[in-house]
Amino acid sequence: MSLVYEIDYGTPASKSAETVKLTIDGNEVTVPAGTSIMRAAMDAGIQVPKLCATDSVEAFGSCRLCLVEITGRPGTPASCTTPVAAGMVVSTQTERLKQIRKGVMELYISDHPLDCLTCAANGDCELQDMAGAVGLRDVRYGYAGENHLKLEKDESNPYFTFDASKCIVCSRCVRACEEVQGTFALTIQGRGFDSKVSAGMLSDDFLSSECVSCGACVQACPTATLSEKSLIDIGQPEHSVVTTCAYCGVGCSFKAEMRGEELVRMVPYKEGKANHGHSCVKGRFAWGYANHKERILNPMIRESIDQPWREVSWEVAIDRVASEFKRLQSKHGRLAIGGITSSRCTNEETYLVQKLVRGGFGNNNVDTCARVCHSPTGYGLKATFGTSAGTQDFDSVDQSDVIMVIGANPTDAHPVFASRMKKRLRAGAKLIVIDPRRTDIVRMPHIEAQYHLPLRPGTNAAILNALAHTIVTEGLVNERFVRDFCDLDAFEHWASFVSEPQNSPETVGPMAGVSPEAIRGAARLYATGGNGAIYYGLGVTEHSQGTTAVMALANLAMATGNLGRQGVGVNPLRGQNNVQGACDMGSFPHELTGYRHISDDATRTMFEKLWGVPLDNEPGLRIPNMFDAAIDGSFRGIYVQGEDILQSDPNTVHVKKALAAMECVVVQDLFLNETANYAHVFLPGSTFLEKDGTFTNAERRINRVRKVMTPKNGMADWEITLAIAKAMGFEMLYNHPSEIMDEIAELTPTFAGVSYDLLDKVGSVQWPCNDKAPTGTPIMHIGGFARGKGNFMITEYVATDEKVGPRFPLLLTTGRILSQYNVGAQTRRTDNVVWHAEDVLEIHPHDAEERGVRDGDWVKLDSRAGGTALHARITDRVAPGVVYTTFHHPETQANVVTTEFSDWATNCPEYKVTAVQVSPSNGPSDWQKDYAEQAEHSRRIATKVAAE
């Protein structure tokens, strides 16, 4: 095994279709017009010395190492900033160039520490490499003069150090922060000899600055100035494996760089088609949870939740699961048990859990976390377009002219894709943001939304109908697209509906808290501004009309012809790494893989034949139905793979009651999560570093997950499910996850062409991948829809039953923050807690003043479902009458406040609209104290008594 080597071409690739022929060092080279001489040389295998150039940022031309000579031209131009020209004859190595480069390197080395043998970058330092490349053997200037060798090291960031004494002021870090990440946190302060890299203001260090710790600066640094602390502690890696991040739905590719079985660092992979070599703080640095002291590595059982856990062998634990589930079915019936698949696990593992439930349990009581996030996406897009997924690849945003972001906070929840989006916005694309909260992307360096519609929570469908009203009544419909690709009867019915007065901006605006002029302006911009792309998140789906709003977005895209090409589309930003895959794999109780209904005889027969068992043709229980059935006594046991339903699902008191009513709760996870407080069997799971498989990201991209170390718990998650199935009498025989994917491909038309061999060859593919699209489908619905004709749906606005009133006058909405992930089980066990140690409540200054609340005060947050307490943050990010919090920390238990109201079609909870009251408090509530006490009591692990 060895390190995966990636070529640095020095400058970005040219996108020109025209080619230019030139000669470099006697070699004839043909490259796209606009290519730099440096890149053209590298294409020909000729490496021109460089320090300030790297192919992730635009050329800068400051280091003066990459000089070349061009026949017929005077001087020695920089090869990074000089474009090729037809017939050009270039020399990269002459006596003149040798002397110039050697002199430049002498100057660099004369002001650089000579600690190469003990430096963390030894063996991976571009300055060291270039000194060797130019033949530098001594420094004529000595080291006694004024220098920067005693500058203080900044170690404030938990993940990397900044050693200014080793900085050569090449500006690569500054340019990466600007061009790749788009944060503009770094700058060069001072002039001449006093020039230095600075993170923000003069008094700032990296931690206190606006740096988001994405790692782009560390990746770009050619010396040890910016170095990962893990690299300093462990040493240089000796081999690497390309794998996929297990955090959000972007699905970034990384090189896991290793020493033996120890992970040294995660380096974003340039060939990764979702991230193109970029990363965020979570994927780049927050992997330490895999070795956290709280990780459980041995199976455990107990008879009741009042007892401490007892560590047992895998055989004993698996036997307990099977015997209890069999007992419950024998006593209470076949439908008395079920399972929940994990959106953090691989496609293969998720497939096995739903197969176990359907084939081994003999029912369809299987569901997944998409129930509480993007189930309306599947329903709404299938009804309108014919497929239950987004339409574009991430690269499509580069061609967008107008970007509508609704109910999504991409800079926090999908930061790597947000960087791509921000780059397009800085290049001139227009921005519409529809969100109750002023998210970062509304206004940030070099970006300002043309329209921000700060709608009242719960009015998404009304606002979207008002946009449609404007488009239809002002004659902005793309009639040709509608005529060619859509059902005309459905369109005419819809057009008549949205044209009604109740859908006008003048009617909707005052009700939703948005000016009618802004609604009309946003509609006109989207309809007439060129390629219009819609990106949405949980702020659309987690409503009582989540499915309605998804359909309304699809209607807008069809009416304006913004489908079937680059730069357009309807794009759900999926929250978890494999929530798309979990849905694809048949995790819903009514659907088999590929979104085919369980009642379809032909589909079901295909599965029955391959699996060798009959399948129930009736849909099973959804997660909320499982809770209700548990409370009424008919649902008695559950297998929960990699989900923390007690913390993530709404109305925590109700979920607790349901879990407490079950006789056998089996939790398979890395840590004793909140759900495990009510578990009877705990099966320790494996991390993404310890398994093979695939994830499917938000753009339908199927990426390989590769095992880089032995599972610390002894078994990968797929092997655990196989063991349970065998003990249940439903043996599934697979030797490797690739065989599971082969079965998925055999049974699933959209995956028919997918195999590990293909993925290893091409890197990744986007489904559908089959005979019609052997290398995948980046853009959906080109030349027509999967369902035939696009189907306009009536999206009548119906106000939520969750009403404000004298007792609960404010509306709570919830979301995520950059440094934390979902329920925080992983990120809370990393140094990411330095940025977000607790959930806080954002409240408008007016509402805070009315209640006598000051910034940082403890406040009580109450709804009709329950109450909690947390610290207040006074901000005008939220409008008067609206408060906001995150749900990353179990100490807060934000979901004790949220209610049982849900989407009319899918039961997706209405997390985004809860009527609440906020009042001063002295600290955590009694409920929080009782919960913490019960959790601590439940997590006791009995100590083994040593044998005499």
Side-chain angles (χ1 to χ4, degrees):
M1 302 177 73
S2 60
L3 290 167
V4 176
Y5 176 68
E6 296 180 273
I7 297 173
D8 185 349
Y9 290 88
T11 61
S14 169
K15 297 180 181 179
S16 175
E18 299 180 19
T19 59
V20 170
K21 188 177 293 185
L22 70 157
T23 302
I24 303 177
D25 292 346
N27 299 284
E28 191 174 271
V29 183
T30 301
V31 293
T35 301
S36 70
I37 291 176
M38 175 181 285
R39 188 177 184 98
M42 198 66 200
D43 268 340
I46 301 167
Q47 185 173 4
V48 180
K50 61 181 176 61
L51 281 173
C52 73
T54 186
D55 57 15
S56 63
V57 295
E58 296 298 325
F60 197 54
S62 70
C63 74
R64 313 315 293 170
L65 268 188
C66 73
L67 308 180
V68 294
E69 292 186 353
I70 302 173
T71 301
R73 293 193 190 182
T76 53
S79 63
C80 64
T81 57
T82 306
V84 298
M88 180 182 279
V89 178
V90 178
S91 297
T92 68
Q93 278 287 91
T94 67
E95 285 302 316
R96 181 187 184 191
L97 294 173
K98 288 179 184 178
Q99 292 305 312
I100 293 173
R101 289 174 182 153
K102 193 173 291 188
V104 169
M105 281 302 303
E106 280 189 273
L107 292 172
Y108 279 122
I109 299 302
S110 69
D111 193 12
H112 195 82
L114 299 180
D115 62 350
C116 291
L117 293 180
T118 57
C119 178
N122 185 25
D124 187 29
C125 173
E126 292 182 47
L127 184 69
Q128 190 179 59
D129 293 343
M130 291 304 104
V134 304
L136 184 66
R137 297 295 176 260
D138 57 18
V139 177
R140 292 169 294 171
Y141 308 112
Y143 304 96
E146 190 174 359
N147 57 51
H148 303 88
L149 300 181
K150 294 185 179 180
L151 292 178
E152 187 176 348
K153 183 185 290 189
D154 180 354
E155 299 192 74
S156 60
N157 189 285
Y159 295 120
F160 60 83
T161 65
F162 174 71
D163 187 349
S165 71
K166 297 182 178 180
C167 181
I168 60 173
V169 199
C170 66
S171 295
R172 275 165 59 164
C173 60
V174 176
R175 288 179 285 142
C177 189
E178 294 175 358
E179 298 176 31
V180 179
Q181 170 57 27
T183 296
F184 294 81
L186 305 183
T187 188
I188 301 292
Q189 291 193 342
R191 301 176 69 85
F193 184 80
D194 294 326
S195 299
K196 65 176 182 178
V197 173
S198 176
M201 306 298 289
L202 284 171
S203 59
D204 284 340
D205 54 23
F206 267 83
L207 185 60
S208 62
S209 74
E210 294 182 351
C211 168
V212 294
S213 299
C214 67
C217 59
V218 181
Q219 180 82 346
C221 183
T223 69
T225 305
L226 287 156
S227 292
E228 299 94 337
K229 289 183 176 179
S230 58
L231 180 75
I232 295 171
D233 292 342
I234 301 171
Q236 287 290 332
E238 44 82 23
H239 75 272
S240 55
V241 179
V242 176
T243 191
T244 304
C245 179
Y247 278 118
C248 79
V250 174
C252 296
S253 296
F254 280 88
K255 295 184 294 183
E257 296 196 340
M258 313 288 296
R259 286 196 69 83
E261 287 215 334
E262 184 173 18
L263 180 59
V264 177
R265 61 183 176 184
M266 296 289 284
V267 178
Y269 186 45
K270 289 199 301 183
E271 296 300 315
K273 295 174 185 176
N275 59 316
H276 297 288
H278 190 34
S279 60
C280 80
V281 62
K282 295 188 286 289
R284 183 72 156 89
F285 297 116
W287 39 265
Y289 67 86
N291 299 312
H292 195 273
K293 62 182 181 180
E294 292 180 3
R295 183 176 172 188
I296 304 298
L297 300 179
N298 297 307
M300 300 188 298
I301 62 174
R302 59 184 174 184
E303 278 64 44
S304 76
I305 63 172
D306 295 325
Q307 296 178 349
W309 289 102
R310 304 192 316 275
E311 291 186 353
V312 296
S313 68
W314 275 108
E315 291 75 17
V316 170
I318 296 296
D319 181 69
R320 172 64 65 87
V321 173
S323 60
E324 280 296 285
F325 282 171
K326 288 177 181 178
R327 179 184 68 80
L328 291 175
Q329 286 190 305
S330 175
K331 182 177 179 182
H332 300 283
R334 175 175 54 87
L335 304 180
I337 63 173
I340 296 177
T341 72
S342 175
S343 293
R344 291 187 289 136
C345 287
T346 65
N347 285 316
E348 295 77 6
E349 290 164 341
T350 302
Y351 173 83
L352 290 186
V353 172
Q354 65 87 31
K355 181 176 179 179
L356 167 65
V357 173
R358 300 187 199 278
F361 296 178
N363 62 51
N364 293 311
N365 293 339
V366 62
D367 210 348
T368 188
C369 89
R371 175 66 52 210
V372 299
C373 59
H374 270 284
S375 50
T377 287
Y379 192 107
L381 294 185
K382 187 172 185 179
T384 50
F385 299 160
T387 53
S388 299
T391 62
Q392 312 295 116
D393 61 3
F394 288 148
D395 289 351
S396 172
V397 77
D398 295 341
Q399 307 300 320
S400 298
D401 300 307
V402 178
I403 298 171
M404 181 189 295
V405 178
I406 174 169
N409 185 8
T411 55
D412 278 18
H414 304 86
V416 173
F417 173 69
S419 294
R420 292 285 296 281
M421 182 185 289
K422 290 187 292 182
K423 189 171 186 176
R424 179 59 190 153
L425 292 169
R426 294 196 302 273
K430 307 301 182 184
L431 176 64
I432 301 165
V433 177
I434 305 176
D435 200 291
R437 186 168 171 262
R438 193 185 71 242
T439 55
D440 285 344
I441 204 165
V442 172
R443 188 182 303 114
M444 61 194 323
H446 306 287
I447 293 172
E448 185 163 4
Q450 276 63 42
Y451 294 96
H452 174 213
L453 311 185
L455 76 174
R456 187 175 177 81
T459 60
N460 284 340
I463 284 288
L464 294 172
N465 285 341
L467 294 173
H469 177 97
T470 303
I471 290 169
V472 171
T473 59
E474 295 188 6
L476 305 179
V477 171
N478 187 326
E479 295 180 0
R480 181 176 179 180
F481 183 91
V482 171
R483 184 175 60 252
D484 291 347
F485 302 117
C486 300
D487 184 309
L488 291 181
D489 289 340
F491 167 73
E492 289 171 3
H493 187 36
W494 170 79
S496 175
F497 159 72
V498 296
S499 298
E500 294 172 0
Q502 73 265 24
N503 292 317
S504 72
E506 287 69 30
T507 301
V508 170
M511 178 268 296
V514 180
S515 78
E517 293 78 13
I519 297 172
R520 287 192 178 275
R524 292 166 186 151
L525 177 59
Y526 174 70
T528 66
N531 288 339
I534 296 171
Y535 293 92
Y536 71 92
L538 303 183
V540 166
T541 58
E542 291 178 344
H543 287 269
S544 62
Q545 282 201 288
T547 295
T548 307
V550 172
M551 291 173 174
L553 291 173
N555 290 340
L556 286 177
M558 289 188 290
T560 55
N562 279 307
L563 290 161
R565 63 183 186 277
Q566 287 280 351
V568 297
V570 179
N571 307 283
L573 295 175
R574 299 276 189 162
Q576 296 201 59
N577 54 297
N578 200 39
V579 66
Q580 178 69 59
C583 299
D584 299 340
M585 293 298 103
S587 293
F588 288 135
H590 67 291
E591 288 177 333
L592 292 161
T593 62
Y595 306 95
R596 292 162 297 164
H597 204 278
I598 189 68
S599 64
D600 181 76
D601 292 339
T603 299
R604 200 175 59 259
T605 298
M606 186 191 334
F607 281 80
E608 289 174 335
K609 183 177 180 181
L610 191 61
W611 292 357
V613 292
L615 300 181
D616 191 341
N617 66 352
E618 290 292 329
L621 299 176
R622 296 171 173 179
I623 292 174
N625 306 136
M626 294 181 192
F627 295 155
D628 293 341
I631 292 171
D632 72 23
S634 59
F635 189 80
R636 311 301 296 175
I638 192 168
Y639 170 35
V640 184
Q641 180 202 56
E643 292 295 338
D644 194 354
I645 53 177
L646 181 57
Q647 188 178 341
S648 64
D649 283 42
N651 198 340
T652 303
V653 172
H654 183 70
V655 179
K656 279 181 58 179
K657 187 176 179 181
L659 290 170
M662 297 186 205
E663 295 182 45
C664 183
V665 175
V666 180
V667 169
Q668 182 174 319
D669 216 309
L670 303 175
F671 306 100
L672 283 173
N673 59 21
E674 305 311 301
T675 305
N677 295 344
Y678 292 86
H680 306 88
V681 180
F682 186 88
L683 305 175
S686 56
T687 72
F688 76 110
L689 299 168
E690 301 163 351
K691 63 179 72 171
D692 285 296
T694 57
F695 293 151
T696 305
N697 75 350
E699 53 171 354
R700 296 170 285 103
R701 185 178 301 283
I702 306 163
N703 255 321
R704 279 281 279 117
V705 179
R706 294 181 176 89
K707 180 178 173 181
V708 303
M709 61 179 66
T710 303
K712 297 182 184 300
N713 61 328
M715 299 175 74
D717 288 299
W718 64 276
E719 295 174 307
I720 298 171
T721 304
L722 290 186
I724 295 173
K726 183 178 181 180
M728 291 289 296
F730 180 60
E731 188 169 11
M732 298 186 279
L733 299 174
Y734 308 99
N735 296 308
H736 189 267
S738 61
E739 298 173 6
I740 307 172
M741 178 53 74
D742 291 341
E743 181 173 309
I744 294 167
E746 183 178 350
L747 290 169
T748 314
T750 50
F751 275 65
V754 179
S755 68
Y756 280 31
D757 287 343
L758 176 65
L759 296 174
D760 291 342
K761 179 181 178 181
V762 303
S764 63
V765 295
Q766 292 171 264
W767 67 258
C769 177
N770 45 36
D771 290 341
K772 293 181 180 179
T775 57
T777 310
I779 306 296
M780 295 284 282
H781 314 303
I782 297 175
F785 290 93
R787 69 181 308 279
K789 294 288 187 178
N791 186 29
F792 284 86
M793 299 291 292
I794 300 301
T795 54
E796 183 175 356
Y797 170 65
V798 179
T800 173
D801 289 333
E802 182 71 0
K803 310 290 187 185
V804 295
R807 187 179 175 198
F808 302 114
L810 304 175
L811 284 177
L812 169 71
T813 189
T814 61
R816 302 180 181 186
I817 200 165
L818 171 65
S819 60
Q820 295 294 328
Y821 171 70
N822 206 31
V823 297
Q826 294 149 268
T827 45
R828 282 186 285 105
R829 292 175 171 90
T830 70
D831 286 329
N832 279 26
V833 292
V834 305
W835 291 287
H836 188 78
E838 61 177 335
D839 296 318
V840 297
L841 184 75
E842 291 188 0
I843 184 170
H844 189 273
H846 172 76
D847 295 325
E849 184 177 2
E850 279 195 334
R851 290 161 176 77
V853 172
R854 296 169 299 179
D855 194 61
D857 282 357
W858 276 99
V859 292
K860 192 175 181 185
L861 180 68
D862 287 306
S863 76
R864 61 181 179 81
T868 187
L870 64 173
H871 288 105
R873 176 175 295 161
I874 298 176
T875 176
D876 63 359
R877 276 182 178 266
V878 292
V882 177
V883 292
Y884 168 89
T885 191
T886 52
F887 56 94
H888 302 303
H889 294 268
E891 294 81 8
T892 307
Q893 283 294 326
N895 280 322
V896 72
V897 177
T898 53
T899 70
E900 75 281 2
F901 289 132
S902 63
D903 174 54
W904 62 269
T906 65
N907 283 133
C908 182
E910 192 173 37
Y911 291 110
K912 304 305 182 187
V913 186
T914 305
V916 297
Q917 178 60 288
V918 175
S919 56
S921 173
N922 293 323
S925 67
D926 290 341
W927 187 89
Q928 286 170 287
K929 295 175 183 177
D930 291 344
Y931 181 93
E933 183 179 346
Q934 188 276 335
E936 183 179 2
H937 182 78
S938 176
R939 289 171 184 158
R940 294 169 300 148
I941 300 176
T943 56
K944 293 181 178 179
V945 179
E948 294 183 3

